[in-house]
Amino acid sequence: MKEFFPILQTTSLFFGMKSEDLEAMLGCLGATVVRIAKGDPVFLEGDKAGFIGVVLEGCVQVVRDDFYGNRSILTHAEKGDLFAETFACANIEIMPVSGYAVKDSLIMLLSCQKMLTVCSATCLFHNQLVKNLLKVVAQKNLNLNSKIQFMSQKTTKEKLMAYLLDQAKKNGSPEFTIPFDRQALADFLGVERSAMSAELGKLKRAGILDMKGSHFHLIRT
């Protein structure tokens, strides 16, 4: 596990933790590491919940598929990010969503129950760990509120522009790269890909933005 310490110490969950504490900490939390190939599931809807995932390499998307197969992206987790923590903390027994590796990925799985329960060894890091987890969950709630604002816009164009303007603000620049391809962006915003692509084309022709792949440049609004 020691080879993962530099990555773990950059995560929000292990912020402020000393490297000499990590080995005992990971043992206490029942940490396991799994390698997931691109396109394969990390977990599926209906699987047992109760774990928290940390992306060590690659990328994971947590998605919800409806009865007709329409997909909505709930979480996009890259290297150092957490996923599934909300379901684990809510004490949900069965996962209501699925998670897939969108790149070849290395994932660390941690027991949420062990994280929230003080162990017999009375580890000094437990209080800090719980505080860090609370901050992660709070930040995810803020991100969810932002997504609700995007999706509450009436038209596909308005949803797109709300998201792209938010990305420009977060990056402090009119030029930025988003973490989604076209299909994933449509799934994230809850719109049809063809309609979204048509709107992007109109915005480009109108001189409002330029784009290449996942890289965007907002020219004017």
Side-chain angles (χ1 to χ4, degrees):
M1 293 284 184
K2 289 183 179 180
E3 65 269 31
F4 306 125
F5 287 5
I7 299 173
L8 294 174
Q9 288 180 298
T10 66
T11 68
S12 299
L13 183 61
F14 294 107
F15 176 78
M17 302 292 183
K18 298 178 181 179
S19 57
E20 54 264 31
D21 292 332
L22 280 174
E23 188 167 4
M25 189 185 310
L26 295 178
C28 179
L29 300 177
T32 59
V33 176
V34 294
R35 189 173 293 277
I36 309 292
K38 178 181 178 180
D40 286 351
V42 181
F43 61 90
L44 293 171
E45 181 178 352
D47 285 353
K48 187 176 180 180
F51 65 87
I52 293 174
V54 182
V55 181
L56 301 175
E57 295 177 9
C59 178
V60 171
Q61 287 180 351
V62 178
V63 304
R64 175 178 283 118
D65 295 313
D66 68 16
F67 179 78
Y68 297 103
N70 298 310
R71 174 163 291 183
S72 176
I73 296 176
L74 305 179
T75 301
H76 179 88
E78 298 189 337
K79 184 176 179 179
D81 290 339
L82 271 64
F83 62 91
E85 73 289 335
T86 301
F87 306 108
C89 292
N91 202 29
I92 293 175
E93 295 184 0
I94 301 299
M95 295 299 294
V97 295
S98 301
Y100 294 91
V102 294
K103 300 177 182 178
D104 290 341
S105 300
L106 197 64
I107 309 298
M108 177 174 286
L109 301 176
L110 307 168
S111 168
C112 185
Q113 183 178 6
K114 292 181 179 180
M115 191 176 299
L116 298 177
T117 304
V118 178
C119 64
S120 58
T122 316
C123 303
L124 296 177
F125 56 75
H126 248 113
N127 285 340
Q128 183 64 47
L129 198 65
V130 172
K131 289 179 181 178
N132 289 349
L133 179 59
L134 181 59
K135 289 180 180 179
V136 171
V137 173
Q139 184 60 55
K140 290 289 183 73
N141 284 335
L142 291 175
N143 293 341
L144 179 59
N145 286 335
S146 295
K147 182 180 178 181
I148 292 173
Q149 291 179 359
F150 306 148
M151 296 185 68
S152 66
Q153 302 298 316
K154 293 182 178 180
T155 67
T156 297
K157 176 183 176 181
E158 290 171 342
K159 291 178 181 180
L160 265 172
M161 289 306 301
Y163 173 73
L164 294 175
L165 287 169
D166 183 70
Q167 289 295 300
K169 184 176 181 179
K170 286 181 177 178
N171 284 275
S173 170
E175 289 195 57
F176 51 87
T177 300
I178 66 173
F180 302 120
D181 60 19
R182 290 290 184 270
Q183 184 60 60
L185 179 58
D187 291 341
F188 179 76
L189 295 175
V191 299
E192 291 289 337
R193 177 177 176 174
S194 57
M196 185 192 73
S197 295
E199 290 297 339
L200 285 171
K202 291 178 184 178
L203 291 167
K204 184 174 183 178
R205 289 192 295 273
I208 294 174
L209 59 78
D210 197 7
M211 59 191 170
K212 184 176 182 181
S214 297
H215 186 79
F216 287 80
H217 179 196
L218 296 182
I219 301 170
R220 66 179 178 84
T221 58

